[in-house]
Amino acid sequence: MTFRFRGSAIALAIAVSMVGAARAEEIVVQAINTYVGFTVDRFNRENPGDKVHFRLVSYQSILESLPVQLASGRGPDISIVGDWNGLSKYYLDVRPYVDAAYFEREFGVMLPMLRGTDSRPDAINGMSSAITMNGAYVNLTLFRQARVELPPPGATWDDWAAACRKVAKATNTPMAMEVDRSAHRFASIAISYGARLVDARGNFVVDEGLKTAMRKFVGWHRDGTLPMDLWGAVGGATHRDNFQDFMNAKVVLYFGGSWQLERMNKEVGDLFDWAVIDAPCGTSSCALMPGGGAVVGFKHSKAPKLVGRFLAFAAREDVMREQLARGANIPIAATLVRTGVAYPNASERVREALASYTRQVSTNIPPAAYAFQGWRFQRAAMNAMTTRISQVLNNELDIDTAAAFIKKDVDLAVQVTRM
Amino acid sequence: MAPGLEDRAKAVLGAVAAVPARALEPAMVFLQRVLGMKRLPWVFLAPNLIIIAVFSLLPVLVNVVYSMTGGESLYPTQRHFVGLFNYETLLACDNYLDPSTCTRDLFWRAVRNSMWFVPLQVTIMIGVALATAIALNRRIRARGFFRGIFFFPVMLSPVVVAMTWVWLLQRDGALNGLLAGAGMPAVSWLTEPSRAFKWSIFVTVWAHMGFYMVILLAGLQSIPADLYEAAKMDRASPWRVFTRITLPLLKPVLLVVFILAVIRAVQTFDEIYVLTGGGPGSATKMIVHYIYETGFAVMPRNYGLAAAASLLLGLVLFGFTALQMRLSRGGRDA
């Protein structure tokens, strides 16, 4: 009897486990930051019936491999994407699985930028807990040593370039300013000089604002304010940053990204005095540009419901707060921008920098910057700008010809998608 | 081994080897009867032919399809026929000597760079490889060690090679460190176009020279020693020995090395991609780099244009291969 009972119990256990196995769904989440992995771990702990696998990949892989994977109907179920709208035709509409009103309320700024032309106009494709920002890091110690006054908030690029040159000269610092070799950085400078980049009909615009910014930018290279090592030394659309120059106090002002804060926190700390200043301004606005990764689900997923559940989980306020605190990132969700985030592990200086960024998110980002960030052909335009500006710096093209080529490159990219 | 034992071992091995042959014999006889002697070789060739068809010919055909279709889809069935549009886009130019007047100026800059890079790199590569092979063919001390040292870079991944040189040549690299130690100003090794181009040639020669050196060394060792002894008895000068004995007898090997080096130089991508990213500007962008960027590194992917460019490159390489076949046949006829 006992034997029969034990046998039945085993059979029942096997049957239950098989049913469980049949119902359990698995998805793969891909990201470039380990702190997304903590969110995945937390989801798995709170949802033992499901399995979410985390895959850490490089930013280059997101840019180059993911589009090919998606085009072939493969790849992860959820991934961080840098090209928000460029891949939108692959995005899953998770509206049926999430609290749509909550998403609209919290991520209203970014949802339109993820929607492609082939999605429902009210589709919800994903979200992001964090936003990245272009930001200017300044070595305050060098300013103090040179006895040069910091330009006030609202100061122009010219003011900053002049001040940094003075500081570099007085302190024998090798470089006055550095700007990442990234068209995202350049685009924000261009917008600050009045470049529209994209018109209301979604066409790329080469205007006097863009050309003025190109002239300024090339001029700073010619007069030695910016070194040739970044924009001048490499070809094509290659991304390059030399943030270690700022960490080694070899440059007075570094125009990079908010994600460098973590490195500053860990590697510089209090070795010298530094700050993230309010973005320098052009003649039209200040050089602010939202960016970073959006977390989206993909249509090819065999477990769309789980994709939706994971995105809803990742969008929960407490989960976002934890993730932002871990990564020392700037919030984008409306409630968190309004109420602020505590960063218990960050130094006082990093907290100040984050507060500065968060303040600028809510007040200063020009509409043209949002329009460009959410534009379908943003990546094509950025590739063209990086490539052509490098050619101008190396005397292969003049500014007008380069601007014409940027337009031609983007037009060809648009034409390819319409073939 | 004793002769008797050796014979016995041979007999045993022969008997073992004959077992499968005997087992297959009826099937072979059947095939021969059905297909006839003329068709039977195709049965044996079929496995290799299928592999070549699937992995070489089919991709070429798919590439032709891509080059004549447009759109950003990866699936050929979802792409639209555009005829010669991609070729026309690539080749449209007001003045081929001035890439700025071409619709796709970067393609023509890459072509121009490759046209400089290939002859310079191949000439230097073969010259250095030959000189090194001749030096290492002599009885010098630590000959094996030096052969290993010169061959070592060939075993490294191209990315490792390029990264090593980036660390040496960048602004804060080892080379500028040495200059600073000697009280000299730093030099922009990779940020000045012509310097970056020269370093691209140097690094690729450094990375691949060992491979060609080994082939040439094998060629040198196959030249009969008595020819050199006779020349020595005739008191021939080293230059005369080189031009009258070494070079003529090394000609078939040099031809193979030349063709391999040219094909490799035309295909150069990885080292330069890591070293300079094709820059400064487009000073070191080669054709394969252009194809990669167009097809895989920019959004949206322009597979059609990349396929058209790669087919044009394929035609050039086909020309070199035909040249090799013609020259090698000429050598045999002579």
Side-chain angles (χ1 to χ4, degrees), chain B residues 229-240:
Chain B
E229 283 163 15
K232 200 174 176 185
M233 287 169 73
D234 291 344
R235 295 188 176 176
S237 68
W239 177 249
R240 205 172 168 78

Side-chain angles (χ1 to χ4, degrees), chain A residues 65-76 81 87 90-91 298 300:
Chain A
S65 306
L66 182 65
V68 180
Q69 288 176 316
L70 295 174
S72 62
R74 292 170 181 276
V81 289
L87 298 171
Y90 303 112
Y91 296 167
F298 298 114
H300 68 249

Side-chain angles (χ1 to χ4, degrees), chain B residues 216-297:
Chain B
L216 290 170
L217 197 56
L220 286 172
Q221 287 174 351
S222 68
I223 297 174
D226 51 357
L227 292 176
Y228 289 109
E229 283 163 15
K232 200 174 176 185
M233 287 169 73
D234 291 344
R235 295 188 176 176
S237 68
W239 177 249
R240 205 172 168 78
V241 170
F242 177 70
T243 52
R244 296 299 169 94
I245 298 176
T246 307
L247 267 188
L249 292 175
L250 205 57
K251 203 174 137 193
V253 180
L254 270 174
L255 184 67
V256 171
V257 165
F258 173 73
I259 297 296
L260 287 177
V262 167
I263 291 174
R264 178 105 199 195
V266 174
Q267 292 175 330
T268 295
F269 169 64
D270 22 27
E271 288 101 347
I272 298 180
Y273 178 71
V274 177
L275 192 71
T276 63
S282 62
T284 58
K285 191 188 288 289
M286 304 296 158
I287 299 175
V288 178
H289 189 164
Y290 175 81
I291 294 168
Y292 166 73
E293 273 198 348
T294 307
F296 300 102

Side-chain angles (χ1 to χ4, degrees), chain B:
Chain B
M1 197 186 282
L5 191 63
E6 195 177 325
D7 290 343
R8 275 206 300 279
K10 275 185 186 169
V12 170
L13 287 175
V16 171
V19 172
R22 225 174 287 135
L24 286 172
E25 200 174 321
M28 289 298 133
V29 170
F30 174 74
L31 276 176
Q32 192 179 326
R33 201 174 298 148
V34 173
L35 298 171
M37 275 301 276
K38 276 191 178 171
R39 291 194 196 118
L40 193 61
W42 290 104
V43 174
F44 302 115
L45 288 173
N48 273 345
L49 288 177
I50 290 169
I51 290 171
I52 290 170
V54 170
F55 293 105
S56 296
L57 296 179
L58 188 63
V60 172
L61 281 176
V62 172
N63 216 24
V64 172
V65 171
Y66 273 99
S67 74
M68 301 186 90
T69 53
E72 53 178 338
S73 176
L74 197 61
Y75 292 111
T77 51
Q78 292 170 9
R79 298 175 60 80
H80 305 290
F81 181 72
V82 294
L84 296 175
F85 172 79
N86 288 318
Y87 294 97
E88 285 164 4
T89 306
L90 274 182
L91 301 175
C93 209
D94 289 340
N95 174 7
Y96 288 101
L97 296 176
D98 178 8
S100 302
T101 64
C102 303
T103 308
R104 296 287 85 202
D105 71 314
L106 288 173
F107 174 72
W108 287 102
R109 287 181 198 280
V111 168
R112 190 180 62 183
N113 290 341
S114 295
M115 284 174 73
W116 277 106
F117 179 82
V118 172
L120 283 171
Q121 198 253 18
V122 169
T123 308
I124 295 169
M125 173 89 79
I126 294 179
V128 175
L130 183 60
T132 315
I134 290 171
L136 295 179
N137 195 34
R138 297 183 173 192
R139 291 186 181 176
I140 56 171
R141 286 181 76 179
R143 190 167 65 167
F145 171 76
F146 284 117
R147 284 179 181 175
I149 286 289
F150 283 110
F151 189 72
F152 180 68
V154 177
M155 296 189 291
L156 296 176
S157 145
V159 174
V160 172
V161 167
M163 285 306 298
T164 307
W165 282 99
V166 167
W167 289 328
L168 289 169
L169 299 173
Q170 64 193 2
R171 191 209 314 138
D172 296 330
L175 209 50
N176 275 339
L178 283 175
L179 291 179
M184 293 159 78
V187 178
S188 308
W189 300 111
L190 295 175
T191 59
E192 201 272 313
S194 70
R195 268 199 209 120
F197 191 82
K198 286 169 198 155
W199 276 110
S200 301
I201 292 177
F202 176 83
V203 170
T204 49
V205 168
W206 182 85
H208 302 292
M209 185 270 286
F211 174 72
Y212 302 106
M213 179 203 76
V214 167
I215 299 175
L216 290 170
L217 197 56
L220 286 172
Q221 287 174 351
S222 68
I223 297 174
D226 51 357
L227 292 176
Y228 289 109
E229 283 163 15
K232 200 174 176 185
M233 287 169 73
D234 291 344
R235 295 188 176 176
S237 68
W239 177 249
R240 205 172 168 78
V241 170
F242 177 70
T243 52
R244 296 299 169 94
I245 298 176
T246 307
L247 267 188
L249 292 175
L250 205 57
K251 203 174 137 193
V253 180
L254 270 174
L255 184 67
V256 171
V257 165
F258 173 73
I259 297 296
L260 287 177
V262 167
I263 291 174
R264 178 105 199 195
V266 174
Q267 292 175 330
T268 295
F269 169 64
D270 22 27
E271 288 101 347
I272 298 180
Y273 178 71
V274 177
L275 192 71
T276 63
S282 62
T284 58
K285 191 188 288 289
M286 304 296 158
I287 299 175
V288 178
H289 189 164
Y290 175 81
I291 294 168
Y292 166 73
E293 273 198 348
T294 307
F296 300 102
V298 299
M299 283 295 289
R301 312 281 192 238
N302 197 335
Y303 300 118
L305 203 61
S310 66
L311 278 172
L312 291 177
L313 175 66
L315 280 177
V316 173
L317 291 177
F318 181 78
F320 279 119
T321 312
L323 179 73
Q324 180 207 8
M325 289 174 78
R326 192 180 171 83
L327 289 176
S328 58
R329 199 170 51 218
R332 272 205 306 275
D333 293 345

Side-chain angles (χ1 to χ4, degrees), chain A residues 11-282:
Chain A
L12 183 66
I14 289 171
V16 167
S17 69
M18 283 176 73
V19 170
R23 287 184 58 193
E25 291 185 306
E26 296 195 15
I27 56 169
V28 173
V29 174
Q30 176 174 288
I32 54 173
N33 295 309
T34 47
Y35 55 79
V36 178
F38 291 108
T39 305
V40 169
D41 288 344
R42 190 169 159 187
F43 180 86
N44 284 331
R45 274 198 308 277
E46 293 184 21
N47 300 274
D50 298 308
K51 186 72 191 160
V52 177
H53 300 278
F54 175 62
R55 191 189 292 160
L56 185 68
V57 295
S58 66
Y59 183 60
Q60 203 67 8
S61 161
I62 296 284
L63 289 185
E64 293 182 8
S65 306
L66 182 65
V68 180
Q69 288 176 316
L70 295 174
S72 62
R74 292 170 181 276
D77 301 88
I78 294 175
S79 177
I80 294 233
V81 289
D83 187 7
W84 292 8
N85 197 268
L87 298 171
S88 58
K89 67 175 178 178
Y90 303 112
Y91 296 167
L92 175 73
D93 182 4
V94 293
R95 178 170 274 271
Y97 316 115
V98 300
D99 178 353
Y102 173 79
F103 268 70
E104 295 281 3
R105 199 170 57 241
E106 292 296 331
F107 309 104
V109 176
M110 76 177 304
L111 290 181
M113 292 190 254
L114 298 174
R115 287 173 188 141
T117 47
D118 54 347
S119 298
R120 281 173 49 156
D122 61 347
I124 292 175
N125 306 107
M127 43 66 72
S128 177
S129 61
I131 192 173
T132 61
M133 296 269 287
N134 291 342
Y137 297 78
V138 170
N139 188 323
L140 300 176
T141 303
L142 288 175
F143 264 90
R144 236 185 346 263
Q145 285 172 354
R147 297 173 195 277
V148 173
E149 283 290 309
L150 274 179
T156 64
W157 279 105
D158 287 332
D159 298 334
W160 277 104
C164 291
R165 277 195 299 266
K166 257 190 226 167
V167 172
K169 197 174 173 192
T171 55
N172 216 9
T173 305
M175 287 161 289
M177 301 202 307
E178 266 192 9
V179 176
D180 285 345
R181 193 180 194 275
S182 150
H184 210 251
R185 244 55 88 229
F186 175 75
S188 65
I189 297 174
I191 290 170
S192 78
Y193 280 99
R196 275 193 301 159
L197 299 182
V198 190
D199 67 15
R201 295 169 64 195
N203 297 317
F204 187 69
V205 181
V206 170
D207 51 20
E208 208 38 53
L210 177 62
K211 287 186 189 174
T212 305
M214 285 171 74
R215 254 176 244 123
K216 288 264 176 203
F217 200 65
V218 171
W220 293 331
H221 280 88
R222 299 264 190 261
D223 69 14
T225 306
L226 291 172
M228 285 289 279
D229 299 60
L230 290 159
W231 284 77
V234 197
T238 313
H239 175 92
R240 185 175 274 191
D241 76 60
N242 273 354
F243 194 63
Q244 67 273 15
D245 284 340
F246 185 75
M247 294 196 293
N248 291 321
K250 287 183 173 178
V251 60
V252 183
L253 181 148
Y254 190 95
F255 192 56
S258 56
W259 54 92
Q260 305 283 18
L261 274 177
E262 205 177 337
R263 284 172 76 187
M264 286 303 291
N265 194 23
K266 280 185 190 156
E267 294 176 42
V268 174
D270 292 324
L271 287 176
F272 59 83
D273 207 5
W274 59 273
V276 172
I277 54 158
D278 281 1
C281 306

